[in-house]
Amino acid sequence: MIRIIDDQTKKFIDFLNQNYGTEAECIVSVFNCQDSVCVSEDGKEEQSLFIPEADLVMLTTEKPTNGIFDSAGNPAPKFYEENYTLIKLAHEYGHFLQKYGKLPNPEDLEENEKVADSFAQKAVKEFLRWDAIKADEQKPIRQWQKEIHQNAIDHGWWDKPRMPGELLMLVVSEVSEAFEEVRNNHAMTETYYSEKGKMEGVPSELADIVIRVMDLSEYYGIDLEKAIAEKHEFNKRRPFKHGGKAL
């Protein structure tokens, strides 16, 4: 049995099912169970809080008082502490996947636990990234502008006054980097990652262009969202291929 303690945990279960529960018998379903929300591997709703015939796990909101340790008995890294409930849930989900052949299932208990541990860390990191992106998708341009500029301030890029020409040329530099990606035979839609996990490719460089523009816009008090809306309305009224230029 799993006690669902917040919306994030519920979203995480949906995320696991959508991304890893590719077969019906492997999907963990969530349903109301008296005073808590329970999870059963067979997806059948039960009235009792205790389901002895199913492989179920109890999660609590309290962390162990003697500290958190991984399956090898080593003190868990900060990532474990910050995401304790999700890690524990993903670990047990990993055992579900092992049972149905979706993950390696070594007979050695320690190795078996390491597989579930590895899956748990990977799944939680993927979920947190996905969850952040989904939240960001709802932000208006004004909010993006403020957050991007504040991030630049926090990283020291506005400790000294910056010239308008410098800021505009930094936008141009990002366009040049996007062009270099194309010259290096990367497709316009291709995203790849460096060894350190840095996003690379044309989409990444286009994002950098927008980030640079939003950063300088916020610094100068430009309402970029309003400017885009106004310019878009004007462009809709312009004649077909206005200006007569070839490109």
Side-chain angles (χ1 to χ4, degrees):
M1 178 176 64
I2 294 176
R3 294 186 186 279
I4 304 302
I5 58 174
D6 55 29
D7 288 339
Q8 186 190 44
T9 310
K10 293 177 184 178
K11 284 195 295 184
F12 185 46
I13 291 176
D14 288 340
F15 175 83
L16 290 173
N17 287 337
Q18 292 169 15
N19 288 273
Y20 299 103
T22 54
E23 295 181 359
E25 69 269 24
C26 194
I27 294 179
V28 177
S29 62
V30 182
F31 52 87
N32 289 322
C33 189
Q34 290 189 8
D35 61 349
S36 64
V37 179
C38 303
V39 176
S40 167
E41 65 173 300
D42 60 12
K44 294 180 180 178
E45 184 170 351
E46 303 284 348
Q47 296 302 315
S48 172
L49 284 174
F50 302 95
I51 313 172
E53 68 273 17
D55 290 328
L56 302 174
V57 181
M58 172 75 79
L59 288 180
T60 68
T61 58
E62 296 182 3
K63 299 176 183 177
T65 55
N66 61 341
I68 300 174
F69 299 87
D70 62 19
S71 60
N74 302 312
K78 187 177 180 181
F79 179 72
Y80 268 68
E81 294 220 14
E82 293 175 342
N83 302 283
Y84 175 70
T85 299
L86 298 186
I87 287 282
K88 197 171 179 183
L89 171 56
H91 179 97
E92 298 305 328
Y93 196 97
H95 286 316
F96 286 142
L97 296 178
Q98 287 177 316
K99 181 175 181 179
Y100 293 109
K102 295 298 180 180
L103 285 178
N105 195 15
E107 291 186 7
D108 181 80
L109 180 60
E110 185 175 335
E111 291 300 315
N112 191 284
E113 290 298 309
K114 284 182 179 179
V115 171
D117 267 352
S118 178
F119 169 77
Q121 292 187 61
K122 174 177 177 287
V124 172
K125 287 176 181 177
E126 288 178 351
F127 167 73
L128 293 175
R129 182 180 174 194
W130 171 85
D131 195 39
I133 291 172
K134 294 297 288 184
D136 283 342
E137 286 176 353
Q138 308 302 318
K139 290 179 185 175
I141 292 174
R142 290 187 184 91
Q143 182 65 25
W144 272 112
Q145 199 173 301
K146 291 181 183 297
E147 291 188 17
I148 285 171
H149 182 59
Q150 185 60 53
N151 186 59
I153 292 173
D154 294 343
H155 284 79
W157 295 112
W158 289 96
D159 288 350
K160 298 178 181 179
R162 307 176 75 178
M163 300 299 293
E166 170 197 356
L167 297 169
L168 292 171
M169 289 309 297
L170 285 171
V171 176
V172 174
S173 74
E174 302 297 351
V175 176
S176 297
E177 290 181 20
F179 178 59
E180 285 302 313
E181 292 288 347
V182 174
R183 290 187 68 191
N184 290 329
N185 297 315
H186 291 290
M188 288 291 290
T189 56
E190 180 184 356
T191 294
Y192 61 99
Y193 296 88
S194 69
E195 291 184 358
K196 294 184 178 180
K198 181 185 177 185
M199 180 183 178
E200 304 282 2
V202 176
S204 174
E205 301 305 336
L206 294 179
D208 282 339
I209 292 168
V210 175
I211 287 169
R212 293 282 190 190
V213 170
M214 287 189 169
D215 184 27
L216 72 87
S217 294
E218 184 65 20
Y219 176 74
Y220 285 106
I222 299 169
D223 187 338
L224 194 59
E225 187 168 33
K226 180 180 178 182
I228 290 172
E230 184 176 339
K231 193 59 183 288
H232 176 57
E233 286 302 315
F234 175 75
N235 286 341
K236 288 194 296 185
R237 298 192 300 270
R238 302 183 83 172
F240 185 72
K241 288 188 175 180
H242 52 85
K245 296 179 181 178
L247 295 176

